[in-house]
């Protein structure tokens, strides 16, 4: 595929270390969930696996005993008359299509150098990738569909940390995919459906429903899992009627808590279009090059102070693009929907890291440098209402500026949105399991702690590749490998049986699995923050007058 981001196959991974039984309570999946890859029928060595999809045949590659298919289109390219439209099923093809390279990333802004990946790329952005240990319609394996994060503004499934081979060798089919991000996917433009990025996710899940059996997966055993904006997307899908029936289990990691009102989203779109001298309408923007539109979004993002009075938290934390609760594609926030009983029959695994904010504190050069004034501003801007600063100071009387700054950011953006999702599900009678990653990452002398994104390499088992590898450090250590094996076993057990191996969460005991060197099930480990936020409602961020 022209313009694709091509990643060479990785060498075979060494065998995983055994999972030590170190928890004070049972903390791991049932033994039957830990099926050894060797017990499964691997694809024949030396053959190029072929699978026929509804649109046509694809030929993949064989990598370390797993059949891999990259860059399969699941929707038509959203360009021309389809620009800013809901996704449309991909057209068919004749012959056998090579599925050896990742599809090009969607247009996106300049954060973390991501815009360089899409320069010169073709426009068939909506593609997906499949890893399967048993290609063929009779295997009936559990399916895990990954939704990557990136603040809804950046992201591509081609990143090496999302390679699904390690997970697939545990006996599951893994699917990753691209979806439209930034203004292409979430800009509130007149004449366009809202939340196109979420609609892309639904289109990918529809492709899985219609095609995954041929790859060895069971369409009635699908688990969606995602982190950060991907975790927020999983939460949104639970609230979207159009996603009903497309997955039976859900894993939401570090749920990003930003959802926008239609008025705020429209104001953001107006500001971005104005950078181009245009109006926020499909007719005005359809012929604008995607790179120019992304650049306009970056320009607005670089001057968010101008909009802080009207956009509030969305401007304070550079999150002006997010799902829009507009009553049609997304009728309610995930917390409201789950509290009302939505998706009650779908088991949920949800959690966060202990030090979510630490990654951003290090990047901003503020580690150990937060002033009392900066802490006071953070408490005012991110705390739960006007009484938030007092609540934090009363709940954390010994905390200095650094701890207060990190705690309120972590709580507002990821920790409390995740915990409130669990509380809403449990209160409505649904099944939910909660975890917290507390392991201090050893990379860079442990400066990052248990920061945002640390769970991604641990869950995928990719400890030595991609940007998150810097958190793990050189090696990786046996400690990191053992923790990764434990988390992978829990995630695949949940996808297989609906039980990750520790008790379900309820609003009485509030039992949470802590992932660390010595795992443990603990009652209410974030009680201080939970009480500070217990009366808060995560509503769509509103446009201020």
């Amino acid at each position: 595929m022209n313009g694709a981001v091509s990643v060479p196959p990785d060498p075979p991974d060494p065998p995983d270390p055994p999972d030590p039984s170190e928890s004070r309570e049972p903390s791991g999946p049932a033994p039957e969930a830990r099926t050894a890859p060797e017990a499964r029928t691997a694809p024949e060595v030396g053959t190029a696996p072929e699978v026929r999809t509804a649109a046509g045949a694809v030929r993949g590659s064989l990598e370390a005993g797993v059949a891999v298919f990259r860059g399969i289109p699941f929707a038509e390219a959203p360009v021309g008359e389809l620009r800013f439209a809901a996704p449309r099923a991909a057209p068919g093809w004749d012959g056998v299509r090579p599925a050896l390279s990742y599809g090009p990333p969607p247009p996106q802004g300049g954060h973390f150098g991501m815009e360089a990946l899409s320069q010169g790329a073709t426009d068939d952005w909506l593609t997906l990738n499949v890893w399967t240990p048993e290609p063929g319609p009779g295997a009936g394996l559990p399916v895990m569909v990954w939704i990557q994060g990136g603040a809804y503004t950046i992201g591509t499934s081609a990143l090496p940390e999302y390679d699904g081979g390690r997970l697939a060798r545990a006996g599951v089919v893994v699917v990753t995919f691209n979806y439209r991000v930034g203004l292409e996917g979430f800009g509130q433009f007149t004449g366009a459906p809202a939340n196109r990025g979420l609609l892309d996710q639904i289109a990918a899940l529809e492709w899985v429903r219609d095609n995954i059996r041929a790859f060895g997966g069971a369409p009635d055993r699908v688990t969606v899992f995602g982190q950060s904006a991907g975790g927020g997307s999983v939460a949104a899908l639970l609230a979207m009627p159009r996603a009903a029936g497309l997955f039976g289990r859900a894993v939401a990691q570090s749920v990003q808590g930003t959802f926008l009102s239609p008025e705020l989203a429209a104001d953001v779109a107006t500001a971005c279009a104005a950078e181009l001298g245009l109006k926020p309408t499909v007719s005005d923007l359809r012929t604008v090059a995607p790179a120019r539109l992304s650049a306009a979004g970056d320009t607005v993002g670089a001057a968010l102070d101008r909009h802080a009075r009207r956009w509030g938290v969305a401007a304070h934390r550079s999150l002006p693009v997010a799902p829009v609760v507009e009553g049609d594609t997304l009728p309610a926030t995930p917390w409201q929907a789950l509290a009302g009983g939505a998706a009650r029959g779908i088991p949920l695994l949800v959690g966060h890291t202990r030090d979510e904010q630490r990654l951003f504190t290090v990047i901003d050069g503020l580690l150990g440098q937060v002033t009392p004034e900066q802490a006071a501003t953070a408490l005012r801007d991110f705390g739960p209402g006007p009484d938030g600063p007092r609540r934090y100071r009363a709940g954390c009387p010994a905390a200095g500026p650094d701890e207060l700054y990190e705690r309120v950011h972590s709580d507002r953006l990821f920790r409390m949105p995740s915990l409130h999702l669990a509380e809403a599900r449990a209160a409505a009678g649904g099944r939910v399991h909660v975890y917290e990653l507390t392991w201090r990452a050893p990379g860079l002398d442990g400066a990052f702690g248990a920061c945002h994104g640390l769970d991604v390499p641990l869950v995928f088992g990719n400890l030595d590749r991609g940007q998150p590898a810097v958190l793990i450090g050189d090696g990786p250590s046996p400690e990191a490998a053992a923790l990764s094996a434990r988390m992978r076993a829990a995630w695949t057990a949940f996808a297989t049986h609906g039980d990750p191996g520790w008790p379900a969460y309820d609003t009485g005991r509030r039992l949470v699995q802590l992932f660390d060197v010595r795992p443990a099930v603990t009652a209410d480990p974030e009680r201080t923050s939970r009480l500070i936020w217990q009366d808060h409602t995560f509503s769509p961020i509103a446009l201020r007058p």
Side-chain angles (χ1 to χ4, degrees), residues 108-511:
Q108 50 197 275
H111 305 286
F112 299 101
M114 294 295 290
E115 82 285 4
L117 295 178
S118 57
Q119 290 179 359
T122 57
D123 52 23
D124 48 347
W125 312 315
L126 301 182
T127 61
L128 53 75
N129 321 291
V130 181
W131 288 260
T132 175
E134 286 188 60
L141 298 177
V143 182
M144 299 180 69
V145 181
W146 171 252
I147 306 176
Q148 74 262 1
Y152 302 106
T153 58
I154 60 173
T156 171
S157 61
L159 295 179
E161 54 264 39
Y162 302 147
D163 184 285
R166 203 90 196 248
L167 275 177
R169 286 196 289 277
V172 298
V173 177
V174 178
V175 179
T176 67
F177 63 91
N178 291 340
Y179 59 95
R180 283 173 284 182
V181 294
L183 296 171
E184 294 286 338
F186 294 93
Q188 186 80 345
F189 303 139
T190 301
N195 300 312
R196 297 174 297 281
L198 296 178
L199 296 180
D200 291 346
Q201 296 171 15
I202 290 175
L205 287 167
E206 290 173 337
W207 185 96
V208 169
R209 177 196 62 197
D210 297 338
N211 293 280
I212 206 64
R213 189 182 303 278
F215 292 83
D220 58 349
R221 302 180 70 191
V222 173
T223 298
V224 290
F225 69 127
Q227 182 264 351
S228 194
S233 295
V234 169
L237 291 171
L238 290 168
M240 297 179 73
R242 300 185 194 192
L246 295 177
F247 58 93
R249 295 175 183 129
V251 183
Q253 304 170 210
S254 298
V255 175
Q256 184 172 324
T258 46
F259 286 72
L260 307 184
S261 70
E263 297 78 17
L264 175 54
D267 207 58
V268 171
T270 297
C272 294
E275 292 293 329
L276 302 170
L278 300 172
K279 296 178 180 178
T281 66
V282 170
S283 58
D284 265 26
L285 297 173
R286 179 176 282 151
T287 58
V288 174
R292 286 190 65 212
L293 186 59
S294 294
D298 282 353
T299 300
V300 171
L304 285 173
D305 287 348
R306 297 185 319 193
H307 305 281
R309 183 183 62 81
R310 290 168 60 79
W311 297 355
V313 170
H316 295 318
R317 192 50 189 264
S318 300
L319 297 170
V321 175
V324 184
V325 183
E326 79 334 333
D328 179 19
T329 59
L330 184 58
T333 67
W335 305 277
Q336 180 184 4
L338 265 62
R344 184 184 286 117
I346 296 178
L348 174 64
L349 171 60
V350 62
H352 55 79
T353 70
R354 180 191 57 197
D355 306 311
E356 294 278 4
Q357 168 63 23
R358 184 71 54 80
L359 173 69
F360 310 103
T361 301
V362 173
I363 290 173
D364 293 340
L366 289 176
L367 186 63
Q369 305 297 319
V370 177
T371 66
E373 292 76 20
Q374 288 171 317
T377 298
L379 291 174
R380 182 196 67 213
D381 291 342
F382 293 94
D387 197 34
R390 185 199 65 78
R391 285 172 173 257
Y392 268 94
R393 295 190 186 281
C396 312
D402 293 281
E403 182 180 344
L404 289 170
Y405 180 89
E406 290 216 349
R407 183 182 280 266
V408 71
H409 277 94
S410 295
D411 285 346
R412 172 61 181 85
L413 298 172
F414 304 110
R415 284 159 36 111
M416 293 305 104
S418 301
L419 188 59
H420 278 218
L421 198 69
E423 293 270 330
R425 165 49 56 86
R431 184 177 181 85
V432 57
H433 298 263
V434 179
Y435 74 91
E436 181 174 0
L437 176 60
T438 58
W439 180 66
R440 181 180 179 185
L444 299 180
D445 297 323
F448 289 92
C451 70
H452 188 69
L454 178 61
D455 51 326
V456 173
L458 294 171
V459 167
F460 276 89
N462 299 324
L463 305 181
D464 57 354
R465 67 197 75 170
Q467 288 185 339
V470 71
L471 304 174
I472 306 298
D474 296 333
S477 68
E479 176 184 289
L483 178 59
S484 175
R486 190 176 296 116
M487 293 186 73
R488 292 199 314 277
W491 263 239
T492 54
F494 182 77
T496 303
H497 304 296
D499 184 352
W502 63 87
Y505 185 91
D506 59 49
T507 55
R509 297 184 300 168
R510 292 188 166 91
L511 296 180

